[in-house]
């Protein structure tokens, strides 16, 4: 029988046995309506649900700007250019006022000075814009939901912002093949809702799903919380349509998982962050949505216990394991302090894991996850935990994880690092940075996607200052490089990491990347100052 209420599991220290106790916890369901109310109270939460310009969401004071960047050899926008775009798109889709939301990045570290935002409604219009800009040598920055964390989707100087927001349609979802075709400006959550109408799900889920665009996700090769189950977007995206800097439309669409006809050029646009072309459409393989979803939120005393529990999850949950997340105590406590609507079912442990299973048979899955937790308790690796299969409570536990990164930027400045590290060394850098930063930092913590070795390292301070900046950079990248890790696991390089690319990429590889950029964007007008520039 499928559980309909929360089960609380606790290790009995005296007997060493495992018991399951029914213990309801107080939760607050977060709906679309309540998101709006929360946005008025919590600025960081408002940023994740705003629709760019005109939303009324507060924009905190910037902590870092780009005045020291030397502008490239590009033409300057004129009234004649604006008139041309108005004739092409219509005046309603050519914006010259109230552009702050398009110029400032999510973390409020970068402010561009764009004077023009264009909102095309078709691939043909994107192509016409790019052709004109290339001939005029006007720099362009493609922009989706602007939820990125490395400054890849905002202008650095005065580039024209090319908003894909109007390209927002789900064109088709085939329940037989599982293939969906969608425009790049479609919000990820809307895409997933459409897929679920026919029993499918988008193989990508992340905290910014209510505002990020699927085209931006593909352009950054976004990872999210279910890579351990579905892999990354290089495997899920079957084809793309992209507009090159010259205005040429490159049709790389495919409706087949297997298409072994020469070079797979689609991969050039997955993760290239809009520097090689503007993704306007894509086809994606969507798996069937799971009938039974269970989530465990467990407390552990050491990172060694975390690793043992992860190995046990892979071995014993196997085919139904869909997510494995780590949150340390400082990260959790910061979120709980900043967002009073959150309720953690357990507390008092150095480490927490959120483990999700997704399958087709509720009884079978519940038995497996409860057996897994019980065995972990008997071995002394898991100390306390909560298990639920109730959809509302599953959402509440996930909300804890989703609000952790926002809690760290709610009332302080935060240096955020998205790195891949060997699992055995996964958490060591957090301890190293605590010692290195000392009292300069208010919080040093780690959380992330344990299932695919992706750590989100966070160093918070009251406000940005050079002293702590020099403590963390480039040290974090040097440390990661020595372990043969990646300085960007899923967020991309953008503007903030462009000077550190050599810590993860061989010089020869970077040289060929530059050659590819020259070939596809000879005037370097697409997203300049990012990745390589």
């Amino acid at each position: 029988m499928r559980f309909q209420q929360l089960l609380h599991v606790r290790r009995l220290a005296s007997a060493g046995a495992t018991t399951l106790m029914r213990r309801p916890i107080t939760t607050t369901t977060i709906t679309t309506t309540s998101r709006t109310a929360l946005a008025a109270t919590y600025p960081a939460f408002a940023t994740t649900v705003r629709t760019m310009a005109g939303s009324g969401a507060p924009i905190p004071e910037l902590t870092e700007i780009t005045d020291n960047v030397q502008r490239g050899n590009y033409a300057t926008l004129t009234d004649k250019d604006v008139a041309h775009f108005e004739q092409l798109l219509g005046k309603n889709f050519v914006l010259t006022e109230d552009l702050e939301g398009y110029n400032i990045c999510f973390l409020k570290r970068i402010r561009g000075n764009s004077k023009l935002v264009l909102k095309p409604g078709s691939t043909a219009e994107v192509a016409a814009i790019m052709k004109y800009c290339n001939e005029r040598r006007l720099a362009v920055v493609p922009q989706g939901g602007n939820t990125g964390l490395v400054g890849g989707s905002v202008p650095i100087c005065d580039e024209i912002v090319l908003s894909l927001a109007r390209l927002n349609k789900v064109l088709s979802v085939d329940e037989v093949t599982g293939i969906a075709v969608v425009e790049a400006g479609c919000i990820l959550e809307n895409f997933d809702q459409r897929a679920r109408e026919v029993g499918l799900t988008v193989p990508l889920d992340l905290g910014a799903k209510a505002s990020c665009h699927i085209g931006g996700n593909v352009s950054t090769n976004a990872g999210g919380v279910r890579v351990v189950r579905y892999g990354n977007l290089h495997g899920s995206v079957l084809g793309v349509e992209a507009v090159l800097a010259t205005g040429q439309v490159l049709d790389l669409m495919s409706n087949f998982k297997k298409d072994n006809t020469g070079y797979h050029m689609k991969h050039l646009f997955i993760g290239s962050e809009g520097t090689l072309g503007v993704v306007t459409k894509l086809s994606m393989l969507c798996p069937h949505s799971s009938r039974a979803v269970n989530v465990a939120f467990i407390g552990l005393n050491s990172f060694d216990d975390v690793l043992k529990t992860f190995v046990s999850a892979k071995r014993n949950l196997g085919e139904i394991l869909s997510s494995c997340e780590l949150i340390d105590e400082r990260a959790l406590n910061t979120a709980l302090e900043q967002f009073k609507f959150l309720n953690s079912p357990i507390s008092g442990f150095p480490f927490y894991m959120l483990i999700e299973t997704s399958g087709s048979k509720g009884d079978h899955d519940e038995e497996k996850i409860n057996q897994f937790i019980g065995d972990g308790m008997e071995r002394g690796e898991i100390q306390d935990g909560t298990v639920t299969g109730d959809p509302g409570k599953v959402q509440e536990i996930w909300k804890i994880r989703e609000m952790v990164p926002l809690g760290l930027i709610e009332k302080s400045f935060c240096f955020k690092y998205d790195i891949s590290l060997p699992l055995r060394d996964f958490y060591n850098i957090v301890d190293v940075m605590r010692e290195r930063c000392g009292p300069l930092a208010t919080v040093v913590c780690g959380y992330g996607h344990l299932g695919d070795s992706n750590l989100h390292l966070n160093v918070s301070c009251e406000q940005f200052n050079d002293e702590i900046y020099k403590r963390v950079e480039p040290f974090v990248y040097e440390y990661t490089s020595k372990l043969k890790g990646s300085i960007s696991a899923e967020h991309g390089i953008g503007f903030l990491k462009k000077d550190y690319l050599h810590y993860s990429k061989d010089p020869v590889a970077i040289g060929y990347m530059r050659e590819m950029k020259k070939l596809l964007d000879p005037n370097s007008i697409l997203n300049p100052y990012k990745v390589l520039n």
Side-chain angles (χ1 to χ4, degrees):
M1 178 178 176
R2 190 168 184 269
F3 289 126
Q4 293 301 317
Q5 75 178 99
L6 208 63
L7 293 178
H8 185 71
V9 282
R10 182 177 299 251
R11 182 170 183 260
L12 299 182
S14 58
T18 302
T19 183
L20 298 178
M21 300 187 300
R22 295 186 182 275
R23 189 180 83 174
I25 61 171
T26 303
T27 59
T28 304
T29 302
I30 299 176
T31 63
T32 303
T33 302
S34 60
R35 277 182 178 141
T36 305
L38 289 169
T41 305
Y42 304 104
F45 190 86
T47 307
T48 68
V49 298
R50 70 194 176 107
T51 57
M52 297 303 302
S55 67
I59 298 180
E61 183 179 351
L62 283 160
T63 52
E64 184 179 319
I65 54 178
T66 57
D67 290 343
N68 60 336
V69 176
Q70 184 175 354
R71 186 180 185 276
N73 186 27
Y74 301 110
T76 301
L77 186 71
T78 66
D79 291 341
K80 183 179 179 180
D81 296 322
V82 175
H84 172 83
F85 292 126
E86 288 179 342
Q87 184 177 10
L88 175 67
L89 305 179
K91 289 187 177 181
N92 291 339
F93 305 117
V94 177
L95 310 183
T96 57
E97 297 179 348
D98 300 324
L99 305 185
E100 194 171 38
Y102 296 93
N103 272 302
I104 299 176
C105 78
F106 176 80
L107 291 180
K108 311 301 177 284
R109 291 186 66 178
I110 299 169
R111 174 196 285 147
N113 191 34
S114 178
K115 305 298 184 184
L116 182 67
V117 173
L118 302 179
K119 305 184 78 173
S122 68
T123 299
E125 289 183 351
V126 173
I129 290 169
M130 293 310 307
K131 184 176 186 296
Y132 181 87
C133 289
N134 188 60
E135 292 172 352
R136 281 275 292 120
R137 294 185 68 90
L138 291 167
V140 176
V141 53
Q143 188 175 94
N146 198 17
T147 59
L149 300 179
V150 292
S153 61
V154 290
I156 301 304
C157 296
D158 57 354
E159 303 92 279
I160 294 171
V161 174
L162 181 65
S163 170
L164 280 300
R166 289 180 62 212
L167 293 173
N168 58 7
K169 301 180 187 67
V170 179
L171 300 176
S172 65
V173 181
D174 190 327
E175 63 180 313
V176 175
T177 64
I179 296 171
V181 178
V182 61
E183 292 181 326
C186 183
I187 292 172
L188 176 59
E189 190 171 58
N190 295 344
F191 181 18
D192 189 58
Q193 288 174 353
R194 175 68 179 85
R196 288 182 181 275
E197 290 176 4
V198 294
L200 302 174
T201 185
V202 176
L204 174 69
D205 191 4
L206 55 154
K209 58 192 170 190
S211 50
C212 66
H213 294 183
I214 188 62
N217 300 146
V218 169
S219 296
T220 57
N221 190 27
V225 298
R226 295 196 173 89
V227 172
V228 69
R229 176 66 169 267
Y230 300 120
N232 64 28
L233 292 178
H234 279 285
S236 299
V237 175
L238 302 181
V240 301
E241 177 186 79
V243 178
L244 302 183
T246 59
Q248 184 175 8
V249 179
L250 196 56
D251 185 354
L252 303 172
M253 294 292 288
S254 174
N255 288 331
F256 298 97
K257 180 72 173 175
K258 301 179 76 173
D259 179 12
N260 214 11
T261 52
Y263 303 141
H264 287 209
M265 293 182 64
K266 67 175 183 180
H267 294 297
L268 290 175
F269 303 97
I270 303 173
S272 57
E273 304 180 52
T275 62
L276 300 181
V278 182
V279 174
T280 52
K281 185 168 64 176
L282 59 106
S283 57
M284 179 175 286
L285 185 64
C286 296
H288 284 274
S289 56
S290 301
R291 295 179 180 178
V293 176
N294 290 277
V295 166
F297 192 70
I298 57 179
L300 309 98
N301 281 334
S302 69
F303 186 69
D304 187 54
D305 288 338
V306 169
L307 290 181
K308 291 177 181 177
T309 302
F310 174 58
V311 172
S312 176
K314 290 197 296 181
R315 179 178 295 125
N316 296 301
L317 299 178
E319 77 285 356
I320 61 171
L321 179 65
S322 55
S323 190
C324 187
E325 298 288 296
L326 172 72
I327 309 172
D328 73 9
E329 184 176 26
R330 289 176 176 85
L332 177 63
N333 289 345
T334 300
L336 296 177
E337 289 168 6
Q338 296 299 333
F339 304 118
K340 302 304 181 183
F341 61 87
L342 293 177
N343 296 281
S344 177
I346 58 174
S347 61
F349 299 98
F351 297 96
Y352 300 87
M353 293 177 71
L354 190 161
I355 297 174
E356 181 190 76
T357 63
S358 302
S360 59
K361 192 172 182 181
D363 292 346
H364 169 267
D365 295 356
E366 288 168 7
E367 181 180 355
K368 290 192 74 167
I369 195 168
N370 282 306
Q371 183 67 47
F372 154 74
I373 293 177
D375 291 346
M377 288 184 163
E378 289 181 2
R379 292 190 298 267
E381 296 160 6
I382 300 174
Q383 301 302 315
D384 199 359
T386 292
V387 184
T388 183
D390 177 86
K393 293 182 173 66
V394 166
Q395 182 186 15
E396 292 306 313
I397 291 177
W398 267 114
K399 185 53 63 178
I400 294 172
R401 166 63 182 87
E402 291 174 355
M403 298 307 290
V404 164
L406 298 181
L408 292 162
I409 63 173
E410 177 68 17
K411 293 181 180 178
S412 63
F413 181 82
C414 186
F415 294 94
K416 286 184 169 288
Y417 300 96
D418 159 55
I419 51 183
S420 288
L421 294 167
L423 272 180
R424 287 185 175 86
D425 301 298
F426 189 80
Y427 194 77
N428 291 343
I429 191 172
V430 181
D431 294 327
V432 169
M433 291 308 297
R434 284 188 187 129
E435 182 177 354
R436 185 173 176 86
C437 294
L440 291 174
T442 54
V443 176
V444 179
C445 64
Y447 61 91
H449 316 303
L450 185 72
D452 43 276
S453 302
N454 179 189
L455 175 71
H456 295 309
L457 170 68
N458 291 256
V459 179
S460 294
C461 52
E462 291 184 1
Q463 59 185 9
F464 177 88
N465 66 83
D466 285 336
E467 188 176 2
I468 192 168
Y469 175 66
K470 291 175 182 177
R471 295 280 183 97
V472 295
E473 292 186 22
F475 178 81
V476 167
Y477 303 122
E478 293 169 345
Y479 185 100
T480 301
S481 181
K482 288 177 182 178
L483 293 172
K484 306 298 182 183
S486 172
I487 66 165
S488 178
E490 61 180 0
H491 293 165
I493 298 298
F495 175 76
L496 293 179
K497 294 185 179 182
K498 66 184 179 64
D499 294 332
Y500 306 114
L501 182 61
H502 64 279
Y503 285 110
S504 286
K505 277 286 186 290
D506 180 82
V508 176
I510 293 176
Y512 278 108
M513 289 169 64
R514 293 188 188 281
E515 291 300 315
M516 186 63 67
K517 172 70 171 174
K518 290 178 183 177
L519 176 65
L520 297 180
D521 182 12
N523 290 326
S524 197
I525 64 166
L526 262 176
N527 220 5
Y529 321 106
K530 317 287 177 55
V531 185
L532 292 172
N533 294 324

